[in-house]
Amino acid sequence: MGLTKSDLFTKEQNDLANMAKAIAHPARIAILQYLVKKNACVTGDLVEELGLAQATTSQHLKELKNAGIIQGTVEGASVCYCIDPKVWKQYKNVFHTFFGEVKIEDSSCC
Amino acid sequence: MGLTKSDLFTKEQNDLANMAKAIAHPARIAILQYLVKKNACVTGDLVEELGLAQATTSQHLKELKNAGIIQGTVEGASVCYCIDPKVWKQYKNVFHTFFGEVKIEDSSCC
DNA sequence: AAAACCCATCGTAATATTGCGATATGGGTT
DNA sequence: AACCCATATCGCAATATTACGATGGGTTTT
């Protein structure tokens, strides 16, 4: 079917899954790392950096923007992208909480 | 095409993307949370807990096992699953590093 | 041994994702 | 205005994911 049954799960579970999905592609990871490193850049730079077609790069940027983790501002003919620090921290916290909330014993299995 | 061009990216980027993909579904999040809470449990418990069909649940368990984050041991007719603490910590570290390696200034955009 | 149970896998259908060429849009330039 | 440049979006093809019923191989129970 390909249609996730979101109604079976809590908002927190769906939210975390969507956050994970936002970064579940190496191109999007690469975009985020580049933005962190360079602080900000325009689409054309990312097209060069990634080696993907312009249309594909634009699509990944759109997904990251929809996820809220980056923001783009028009600068003449170009669009300048950067990390949204507020959302970035939120991601950081959510993942940290998920992985850290309970300590796992070192040989807990049956 | 639906085929990620993995060769364009580093091993680290592909690895992180795959780790994110492993938890990029609310059912898999729910499975992990349940395993953390209960420490260990058999497939049947998870089928009840999730509300998904047995086949679907088994498929999600397989993906988590392939990702290495859980392990299953046969116990008579049942299979007992639990978190792999070593891999869990690895996930925790990788995500923590990714989100925390560089501090983002609070108004860095153009 | 038969019945009942637990679980993985197969096969299939529906939907989502990835990627790119082509096209559109909106600046800037001459 | 005519012309480039930078991006976004559309439309399409290929592949991946999600979900479930059905089947099959074990294990326990009767």
Side-chain angles (χ1 to χ4, degrees):
Chain A
M1 300 182 169
L3 209 177
T4 293
K5 292 190 152 186
S6 311
D7 52 312
L8 290 178
F9 308 102
T10 67
K11 177 166 171 17
E12 285 71 27
Q13 289 166 338
N14 284 307
D15 285 352
L16 175 49
N18 284 328
M19 291 165 83
K21 203 181 277 184
I23 62 172
H25 193 286
R28 294 196 288 275
I29 305 255
I31 289 172
L32 293 174
Q33 288 177 330
Y34 192 76
L35 287 180
V36 165
K37 194 174 80 176
K38 298 283 184 181
N39 210 36
C41 72
V42 296
T43 308
D45 295 345
L46 287 166
V47 174
E48 269 192 42
E49 174 74 9
L50 296 185
L52 287 170
Q54 182 264 322
T56 308
T57 306
S58 190
Q59 198 173 324
H60 282 302
L61 284 167
K62 188 183 180 181
E63 286 175 56
L64 288 172
K65 210 166 54 179
N66 285 345
I69 200 167
I70 68 171
Q71 55 193 164
T73 52
V74 181
E75 269 199 354
S78 312
V79 176
C80 177
Y81 284 100
C82 65
I83 303 285
D84 183 324
K86 199 167 140 61
V87 179
W88 182 270
K89 277 173 199 160
Q90 190 188 320
Y91 270 62
K92 179 176 174 162
N93 287 338
V94 168
F95 281 99
H96 186 261
T97 302
F98 177 71
F99 284 112
E101 63 187 5
V102 178
K103 59 180 176 311
I104 310 286
E105 284 98 48
D106 271 298
S107 50
S108 55
C109 211
C110 343
Chain B
M1 301 181 166
L3 210 178
T4 294
K5 292 191 154 186
S6 310
D7 51 310
L8 290 178
F9 308 101
T10 67
K11 178 167 172 16
E12 284 71 28
Q13 288 166 338
N14 284 307
D15 284 352
L16 176 49
N18 283 328
M19 291 165 83
K21 202 181 279 186
I23 62 171
H25 193 287
R28 295 196 287 275
I29 306 255
I31 289 172
L32 293 174
Q33 289 178 329
Y34 192 73
L35 287 180
V36 166
K37 195 175 78 175
K38 298 284 184 181
N39 209 37
C41 72
V42 296
T43 309
D45 295 345
L46 287 165
V47 174
E48 268 192 43
E49 173 74 10
L50 297 185
L52 288 170
Q54 182 262 322
T56 308
T57 304
S58 189
Q59 199 172 321
H60 283 301
L61 284 168
K62 187 183 181 181
E63 286 175 56
L64 289 172
K65 209 165 55 179
N66 285 344
I69 200 167
I70 68 171
Q71 57 193 167
T73 53
V74 180
E75 270 201 353
S78 311
V79 176
C80 177
Y81 284 100
C82 65
I83 303 286
D84 184 324
K86 200 167 141 61
V87 179
W88 181 270
K89 276 173 198 159
Q90 191 188 319
Y91 270 60
K92 178 177 173 161
N93 287 339
V94 169
F95 281 98
H96 186 259
T97 302
F98 177 71
F99 283 112
E101 61 188 3
V102 177
K103 58 180 178 307
I104 310 287
E105 283 99 49
D106 271 297
S107 48
S108 55
C109 211
C110 344

